[in-house]
Amino acid sequence: MTSNDPDLFLSLSAIWVLLLASLVLSLVAVILVVRTRRGRTPRNLANIAYANPDSTVETARTPLREFEKNGQSADAALVNWTPDTLRKILADELPGAQVIVVSNREPYIHNLVDGPDGDEVELVVPASGLVSALEPITRACNGTWIAYGGGSADHLTVGADDSLQVPPDRPSYTLRRVWLSEEEHEGYYLGFANEGLWPLCHIAFTRPVFRTSDWETYQAVNRKFADTVVKEARNERPIVLVQDYHFALLPRMIRERLPEAIVITFWHIPWPNSEVFSICPWREAILDGLLGSSIIGFHTQFHCNNFIESVDRFMESRIEREDAAISYGGQTSLVHAYPISIEWPPVQLETLPSVADCRRDVREKYGLADDVKLCVGVERLDYTKGILDRLRALEDLFERHPEWIGRLTLLQVAAPSRGTLPAYRQLYEECHRYADELNRRFGRNGSKPVLMVAEHHSQRQVYEVYRAADLCLVTSLHDGMNLVAKEFVAARDDERGVLLLSTFAGASKELLEALIVNPYDVTMMADALQQALTMPGQEQRSRMRRMREIVRDNNVYRWAGSMLLDAARLRKRGEMERATAHGGPPAGNGNLLTMIRRGRVAAL
């Protein structure tokens, strides 16, 4: 061995050490990969988890529910949300605040009807999701509700100030009616709102129609409602809850005349992406009107994101995406998701008979045998609700599973809606024609697979139908929330029944234990019907129990309370800015937005 042999030996030793280390690291990597793959849930196990709500796999695979997003405080789940909770928020966080609700639809309608002694006044409580959500809030807040008075006897039941105290049996708030001429109602409501904005915001492939005359009427009616809000306001600082697409211009009009008001606008329908929204000829005016709001609320974060993108594309503004806030015209508007819900427990259940009695009464009314499965759909007759698609699914079920012919009936309660518009007249004709065809093909021994009931139902009648049903179909093609799903769940205190729910309804982001379906996929819907019809009682109870917990804990009082708490923080920020205007720099937007993001219900 030469003098260089020791160096050669050291070099060879180093190489062997590196090779050994490399082998060890490779072995460790292989072990980690194997363990990771073993810990993953295969696709088929994920499906099994959803079929068994008690499975531990579901916990690992289930996405966040909508109310678990958006920075909401974890403390919210610990609060018992009741009318007293709202009153406490108002007393502690908004002392002396007047709450004003503005909507197109009124909670109580008075109509003239024929009676034995001539015309009589009939009281109608509309089976409306918006009404069922807002009415208990307005009661709890002793507020003022401003709405269009469209009943034929509405003029006869108000005082000189065009208002009355409601509810009739237990008056607790003021209903202030606004009168519109036939031309105003046609241009603002039927025209711009429902032939323009409604199809624009719903992906239901109905072309929106925009007319300059309708837009001018829409502006005038929004101004009329703004005048009424100002008249009803007892001071300069009311809390105004503006509801829905009928009043996109109202927030700015209120802001101009009541600059210290807190205006909370809630958009109950979807908001389209910016490309679709660009179709509207008055898109900038719509956005400017909505940005007069202190808070703009949507059902889901997805709709919030679409709105923010629309503002970013068409308006000169500063957007704080982390805080979901838009600075425009010297004012900051918060854009948050507040998933709407219903009253818990529903007041209708106080007077309804048992599930067994409701089942018997409904079956007797419609001539259904005891062994026939009852499937129900309850909504306005609207092209966004997917009624034709569920009829196609029923047809597919009968063709592939003929054993259900004569053993399954769909009771479709579809209240007539906007019948003067061509799209709605066409839908009415198509639904009835299709139902007649299914009854002809699959009717047996006098039974009909489809019962189309095109009439208005009271909330009590609707809940009776919910309690009698074996299945409930909520198959919207596109929807904001769709409270029918939550009402059905709330009605089932027997913890039975199955909910089929469209993935395009906001409720599907919360009620994950429902059978979630794509209403455009007829085969998928028919398969879900088959699964629902054959679902064991224990699985029904497991799914329904969890959904009832969700609706109970995230009821309408939480929806309203979250918005009111955000409003309280905005008000305190304004007071702090005024107090420091002459003694130091005003509080920055960042401080307020961080405070809101960190503790939306921590005050409770």
Side-chain angles (χ1 to χ4, degrees):
M1 187 176 290
T2 67
S3 59
N4 292 330
D5 286 345
D7 294 335
L8 178 62
F9 176 77
L10 290 174
S11 298
L12 291 172
S13 299
I15 291 171
W16 279 106
V17 169
L18 289 173
L19 287 173
L20 182 62
S22 177
L23 287 171
V24 171
L25 290 174
S26 298
L27 180 62
V28 170
V30 169
I31 293 173
L32 289 176
V33 168
V34 170
R35 286 184 175 180
T36 301
R37 288 181 175 175
R38 285 178 177 176
R40 291 176 180 169
T41 304
R43 184 179 301 273
N44 61 332
L45 286 184
N47 293 335
I48 293 173
Y50 278 104
N52 179 9
D54 293 329
S55 169
T56 57
V57 178
E58 183 193 16
T59 303
R61 298 285 296 182
T62 299
L64 286 176
R65 300 175 197 269
E66 193 65 42
F67 58 83
E68 295 170 330
K69 304 176 185 177
N70 317 313
Q72 298 238 14
S73 169
D75 296 338
L78 304 179
V79 176
N80 182 24
W81 292 92
T82 67
D84 288 338
T85 311
L86 287 188
R87 283 188 278 266
K88 178 176 173 57
I89 291 172
L90 288 170
D92 295 350
E93 306 295 327
L94 294 162
Q98 177 192 11
V99 175
I100 299 175
V101 174
V102 184
S103 71
N104 175 76
R105 179 166 295 190
E106 56 183 335
Y108 297 94
I109 304 170
H110 291 92
N111 286 324
L112 286 175
V113 296
D114 293 332
D117 300 321
D119 289 341
E120 296 180 353
V121 175
E122 177 187 48
L123 175 66
V124 177
V125 180
S128 159
L130 183 145
V131 168
S132 64
L134 286 170
E135 213 268 340
I137 294 166
T138 318
R139 285 201 316 262
C141 298
N142 301 114
T144 299
W145 189 323
I146 298 174
Y148 161 56
S152 56
D154 278 355
H155 282 86
L156 305 177
T157 54
V158 297
D161 57 354
D162 294 327
S163 66
L164 69 157
Q165 295 299 304
V166 292
D169 53 340
R170 288 176 292 177
S172 57
Y173 68 91
T174 301
L175 172 58
R176 170 68 154 85
R177 286 169 171 157
V178 176
W179 313 116
L180 301 179
S181 67
E182 185 176 342
E183 291 75 16
E184 285 176 322
H185 184 261
E186 182 174 342
Y188 135 82
Y189 178 76
L190 294 175
F192 190 79
N194 287 305
E195 280 193 287
L197 290 180
W198 178 268
L200 178 73
C201 292
H202 289 85
I203 303 174
F205 309 107
T206 297
R207 177 173 174 156
V209 177
F210 293 106
R211 307 179 187 89
T212 300
S213 59
D214 290 342
W215 168 245
E216 292 170 349
T217 306
Y218 185 86
Q219 291 175 296
V221 171
N222 272 246
R223 197 169 297 114
K224 178 178 286 192
F225 273 84
D227 293 342
T228 306
V229 169
V230 173
K231 289 178 183 177
E232 291 295 322
R234 294 194 293 264
N235 54 48
E236 299 291 318
R237 309 175 67 200
I239 306 291
V240 186
L241 306 178
V242 177
Q243 305 301 311
D244 228 353
Y245 62 102
H246 310 93
F247 299 111
L249 307 179
L250 186 58
R252 176 67 61 198
M253 294 175 176
I254 295 173
R255 173 75 52 217
E256 291 171 350
R257 299 173 64 180
L258 295 173
E260 294 185 34
I262 296 292
V263 182
I264 303 174
T265 299
F266 195 83
W267 195 265
H268 289 263
I269 63 177
W271 188 275
N273 63 49
S274 61
E275 187 69 21
V276 172
F277 183 68
S278 69
I279 294 172
C280 181
W282 301 281
R283 60 200 180 203
E284 289 86 358
I286 294 289
L287 293 173
D288 176 80
L290 289 170
L291 290 173
S293 309
S294 315
I295 300 170
I296 305 168
F298 296 91
H299 291 302
T300 69
Q301 188 60 43
F302 182 68
H303 298 155
C304 292
N305 296 343
N306 281 348
F307 177 79
I308 291 172
E309 290 300 327
S310 297
V311 173
D312 191 28
R313 179 172 176 179
F314 299 114
M315 309 297 284
E316 290 291 335
S317 60
R318 189 179 79 248
I319 296 174
E320 302 289 345
R321 294 184 184 274
E322 182 182 0
D323 299 312
I326 299 172
S327 295
Y328 171 76
Q331 178 197 335
T332 297
S333 300
L334 303 182
V335 183
H336 284 169
Y338 305 94
I340 198 171
S341 194
I342 62 173
E343 184 178 18
W344 186 277
V347 67
Q348 289 80 9
L349 296 186
E350 295 177 2
T351 57
L352 276 174
S354 67
V355 169
D357 288 342
C358 288
R359 181 180 176 88
R360 184 194 64 243
D361 293 344
V362 169
R363 287 174 177 275
E364 287 181 357
K365 179 177 180 180
Y366 295 105
L368 302 177
D370 290 340
D371 61 343
V372 172
K373 293 281 188 178
L374 176 60
C375 179
V376 302
V378 180
E379 51 260 305
R380 290 182 302 104
L381 189 64
D382 192 286
Y383 51 76
T384 66
K385 302 303 181 182
I387 298 175
L388 284 172
D389 298 87
R390 72 183 59 154
L391 294 179
R392 295 186 185 102
L394 190 66
E395 179 181 22
D396 187 71
L397 176 75
F398 287 146
E399 289 175 347
R400 293 195 290 125
H401 297 279
E403 67 271 17
W404 290 111
I405 296 175
R407 297 175 52 216
L408 172 64
T409 291
L410 168 62
L411 173 60
Q412 180 60 62
V413 178
S417 175
R418 306 163 190 164
T420 60
L421 300 182
Y424 290 84
R425 289 199 305 270
Q426 180 181 348
L427 176 67
Y428 178 89
E429 294 169 359
E430 287 181 359
C431 285
H432 282 268
R433 184 166 55 248
Y434 203 160
D436 290 341
E437 173 64 15
L438 293 181
N439 288 335
R440 184 187 64 79
R441 289 180 57 195
F442 302 111
R444 296 291 186 276
N445 301 322
S447 69
K448 294 181 179 180
V450 182
L451 298 175
M452 290 291 297
V453 182
E455 59 187 41
H456 293 279
H457 279 55
S458 68
Q459 280 289 78
R460 189 181 190 282
Q461 291 172 320
V462 166
Y463 269 81
E464 185 179 35
V465 169
Y466 291 149
R467 288 166 72 79
D470 298 293
L471 296 79
C472 180
L473 295 181
V474 180
T475 57
S476 310
L477 303 179
H478 201 193
D479 224 326
M481 175 58 68
N482 199 311
L483 291 178
V484 168
K486 295 186 177 184
E487 290 173 347
F488 173 71
V489 168
R492 299 314 296 256
D493 50 10
D494 64 334
E495 297 182 345
R496 298 298 294 268
V498 183
L499 173 64
L500 269 69
L501 181 57
S502 167
T503 187
F504 303 117
S508 68
K509 308 302 185 293
E510 297 181 66
L511 304 179
L512 303 180
E513 291 73 21
L515 298 184
I516 308 298
V517 298
N518 177 356
Y520 293 93
D521 187 338
V522 171
T523 301
M524 180 187 188
M525 283 223 292
D527 289 342
L529 278 171
Q530 172 69 6
Q531 181 182 352
L533 291 166
T534 57
M535 184 179 292
Q538 181 56 45
E539 185 177 344
Q540 291 185 36
R541 281 188 289 271
S542 296
R543 290 175 180 269
M544 187 61 71
R545 185 177 299 124
R546 179 57 180 147
M547 289 192 289
R548 285 176 60 79
E549 291 172 356
I550 296 300
V551 177
R552 178 198 67 199
D553 295 342
N554 301 281
N555 58 41
V556 74
Y557 302 111
R558 178 176 178 177
W559 173 73
S562 298
M563 290 189 289
L564 290 176
L565 282 170
D566 282 354
R569 293 183 176 90
L570 285 174
R571 173 146 293 174
K572 290 176 182 177
R573 180 253 189 153
E575 292 170 352
M576 186 166 55
E577 284 188 341
R578 285 190 294 272
T580 59
H582 302 290
N589 288 343
N591 293 336
L592 169 77
L593 298 175
T594 300
M595 176 175 64
I596 289 176
R597 188 172 68 250
R598 287 178 178 174
R600 298 176 73 175
V601 294
L604 294 178

